Amino acid sequence: MAEHERQHVRVAVIGSGFGGLGAAVRLRREGITDFVVLERADSVGGTWRDNTYPGCACDVPSHLYSFSFAPNPDWPRSFSGQPHIRAYLERVTDTFGLRPHLRFNSEVRQLRWDEEQLHWEVATAGGDYTADVVVSAAGPLADPRVPQVPGLDSFPGRVFHSARWDHDYDLRGKRVAVIGTGASAIQIVPGIQPQVGRLTLFQRTPPWVLPRFDRSVSAAERWLHTRLPATAALRRGVLWGLRELQVSNFTRHPERMRAVEKLALSHMRKSVKDPGMRARLTPHYRLGCKRILLSSDYYPALARPNVDLVASELAEVRGSTLVAADGTEAEADAVVFGTGFNVTDLPIAHRVTGTGGRTLAEAWKGGMAALRGASAAGFPNFLTIIGPNTALGNSSMILIIESQLNYLADFMRQLDTLGGKAALDARPSAVNAWNRHVQRRMERTVWNTGCRSWYLDANGRNTTVWPGTTAEFRRATREVNLAEYQVLRPPRAPRRAAPAAAAEAAR
């Protein structure tokens, strides 16, 4: 597309989940209104728009799973469900006047850095742009991962992923197979067990499951939080503080998790009376190595007579027969994959081309790495929200997002201070130093105690989790250190030779 046909914006934000909407709010609060939010779907919400499976809810307390600048005194439950979280994001969109900036049905197809113009060329399904700065808030839980199972293409029934739930398919009385035992699956199983004819759960690895102390938030509590906002802030502060105190168990003293493992095993014994099933449900790795799951109805659902547990992963499909790696067979009318997302191989990375024509996927071939979780070397004026090593194992990702919004705000201030046409490119030495620091800290953590988890990339390296407290991360991202960046300016045009010198050179 010709240059004059593109709309130029100061900032292009990719995605309208918590990260993208948070970035939009922060830009407006910084006085920046020349930006667009590019969303591939037709509404905001990100993962809370896409995941609509039965029982979908958050495993972080509601009052901590919300923006500090947009408290919600009316959360109906201590752990909110998907509809309430999505409604909250819609309210944030309206409250902060973000709708004029939204561009729906505008999936980003290509991002290319122009080294001469010092801006990004952005090609989307809804039109093309150029942008001085790009903020990628596409998120790691955006693109479903479905394993390549031999014979799956020939399965005669319905097949869908938990993040793409087929609401047109009636599960009542059907034989349904759920593949996986992650955070989605342990909500889906109790959500559909009462209505299906037969439910078969294929479990590659048993998860550690703790009780989920969910309850309704009383009208009195909601009234108090509305009339006295300080009480809601106090509640949030207590929830945050308790989780900060737990961090050392994850990052420095994994052996302390043994006490929590006893609680989890006791929780299992209350619902699962069959010793054989308990043996199959008991993990053989340190609690916390994989994501800790919260549920009070998962084990009771597994103990119901219409549920079968296959303690092996799905290996093959033969018509309507599902075959596990241990040879167990099960008949099914529908297959639901609760197999997670492409977290360490982000699809958006294949669409981003930086300096020298190298894609972000190529730069991250040996493992994702970004300065302070935000800036990858060779990709000027490109910031990632929820980037490498920013995920959490025990607290709210909103805390991390808000810290990265602080970094974004100072990044924009630094560009303003530099003046003129300028770009900031993270120095490779700074990225490497940050990554070494993170990986050194990772060595002692529970996530590196030997289990197989989605935190680890293909090389077995943990490029996903932040090995510290949220307070530490906030300090690390409070401001941009210009010494960690190269300041880029447009290339100077070659000076024209004087007429006499040109004539002399022609002789």
Side-chain angles (χ1 to χ4, degrees):
M1 183 175 287
E3 182 70 29
H4 68 275
E5 295 179 307
R6 296 191 183 104
Q7 177 186 350
H8 182 78
V9 293
R10 181 83 190 282
V11 184
V13 179
I14 304 172
S16 66
F18 269 98
L21 295 179
V25 171
R26 191 56 185 267
L27 289 171
R28 285 186 61 88
R29 295 178 78 177
E30 291 293 316
I32 299 171
T33 57
D34 182 17
F35 68 89
V36 291
V37 179
L38 305 171
E39 172 53 57
R40 66 184 178 184
D42 58 3
S43 60
V44 302
T47 191
W48 294 107
R49 174 200 59 234
D50 296 342
N51 286 270
T52 59
Y53 58 80
C56 183
C58 189
D59 57 5
V60 175
S62 304
H63 292 86
L64 193 59
Y65 199 79
S66 49
F67 291 120
S68 63
F69 53 79
N72 178 21
D74 288 323
W75 288 117
R77 302 197 64 83
S78 54
F79 290 87
S80 289
Q82 177 267 341
H84 298 110
I85 297 174
R86 185 178 180 185
Y88 169 78
L89 290 173
E90 293 281 2
R91 287 199 300 275
V92 167
T93 301
D94 291 328
T95 299
F96 292 92
L98 303 182
R99 296 211 180 269
H101 301 279
L102 293 168
R103 302 294 181 268
F104 293 126
N105 303 307
S106 296
E107 181 174 11
V108 173
R109 293 172 172 168
Q110 182 67 47
L111 285 167
R112 185 173 295 276
W113 176 249
D114 187 321
E115 298 185 43
E116 293 189 358
Q117 298 298 322
L118 291 191
H119 65 210
W120 286 95
E121 296 177 351
V122 186
T124 84
D128 294 350
Y129 302 82
T130 57
D132 296 329
V133 176
V134 169
V135 179
S136 177
L141 305 183
D143 295 279
R145 187 182 68 84
V146 176
Q148 299 297 314
V149 181
L152 183 61
D153 292 342
S154 63
F155 180 71
R158 293 291 184 97
V159 177
F160 50 92
H161 190 276
S162 59
R164 302 291 184 267
W165 195 265
D166 187 348
H167 290 279
D168 294 329
Y169 185 69
D170 189 355
L171 295 177
R172 286 178 295 182
K174 299 294 195 308
R175 299 168 300 177
V176 181
V178 175
I179 315 302
T181 52
S184 298
I186 71 157
Q187 295 179 343
I188 292 170
V189 168
I192 67 174
Q193 175 272 319
Q195 58 179 302
V196 303
R198 190 107 211 137
L199 192 155
T200 303
L201 177 64
F202 285 77
Q203 170 191 270
R204 184 182 68 187
T205 309
W208 284 105
V209 182
L210 291 171
R212 184 169 180 262
F213 299 109
D214 187 27
R215 65 173 181 83
S216 297
V217 178
S218 69
E221 290 174 275
R222 297 199 297 273
W223 179 89
L224 184 64
H225 293 336
T226 301
R227 296 303 178 113
L228 294 173
T231 61
L234 176 62
R235 183 174 189 161
R236 178 185 176 92
V238 170
L239 291 169
W240 167 77
L242 291 174
R243 280 154 182 77
E244 292 288 273
L245 292 174
Q246 298 168 1
V247 170
S248 64
N249 296 344
F250 289 81
T251 59
R252 294 195 302 274
H253 303 287
E255 70 280 358
R256 294 178 182 172
M257 292 295 191
R258 292 192 183 97
V260 189
E261 290 174 6
K262 293 179 180 179
L263 174 63
L265 292 174
S266 174
H267 174 54
M268 182 200 303
R269 285 193 295 270
K270 290 178 182 177
S271 300
V272 181
K273 305 305 180 184
D274 178 10
M277 178 175 277
R278 286 205 303 267
R280 286 178 285 158
L281 289 171
T282 301
H284 298 287
Y285 56 88
R286 178 67 61 229
L287 182 142
C289 186
K290 293 168 67 75
R291 183 175 176 179
I292 301 172
L293 306 182
L294 302 181
S295 177
S296 294
D297 52 11
Y298 175 64
Y299 288 139
L302 290 182
R304 300 300 296 170
N306 68 330
V307 177
D308 294 317
L309 173 66
V310 178
S312 181
E313 62 184 324
L314 178 63
E316 184 183 358
V317 177
R318 301 172 189 160
S320 61
T321 303
L322 309 186
V323 184
D326 67 358
T328 303
E329 297 184 1
E331 295 294 313
D333 301 308
V335 178
V336 179
F337 282 96
T339 46
F341 301 85
N342 292 304
V343 174
T344 58
D345 181 22
L346 299 175
I348 189 69
H350 295 269
R351 307 179 187 185
V352 182
T353 303
T355 58
R358 186 171 66 157
T359 67
L360 187 57
E362 291 169 338
W364 283 350
K365 189 175 182 179
M368 298 190 300
L371 177 62
R372 303 182 189 277
S375 299
F379 299 84
N381 284 9
F382 181 86
L383 297 175
T384 303
I385 305 294
I386 313 184
N389 290 115
T390 60
L392 296 174
N394 77 315
S395 193
S396 172
M397 279 305 301
I398 313 306
L399 302 171
I400 292 290
I401 289 172
E402 289 199 29
S403 293
Q404 294 201 285
L405 299 183
N406 292 339
Y407 198 74
L408 164 63
D410 198 54
F411 192 95
M412 301 304 298
R413 294 187 206 113
Q414 295 290 350
L415 289 177
D416 287 341
T417 300
L418 289 169
K421 194 75 171 176
L424 295 176
D425 187 8
R427 296 181 183 275
S429 58
V431 175
N432 292 337
W434 173 259
N435 194 47
R436 285 195 302 270
H437 165 70
V438 170
Q439 293 303 322
R440 275 198 305 269
R441 294 188 61 175
M442 196 68 70
E443 292 173 1
R444 298 176 57 188
T445 68
V446 70
W447 306 297
N448 278 29
T449 54
C451 70
R452 179 181 175 185
S453 75
W454 59 265
Y455 298 142
L456 308 181
D457 63 17
N459 302 310
R461 216 160 54 100
N462 193 325
T463 58
T464 307
V465 183
W466 166 244
T469 66
T470 61
E472 287 177 292
F473 190 79
R474 175 154 294 200
R475 288 193 295 271
T477 54
R478 182 176 291 124
E479 59 186 16
V480 170
N481 179 0
L482 276 183
E484 296 179 327
Y485 287 86
Q486 294 174 291
V487 179
L488 306 182
R489 296 286 186 180
R492 293 182 179 179
R495 297 178 61 183
R496 297 181 61 186
E504 181 66 26
R507 290 180 187 151

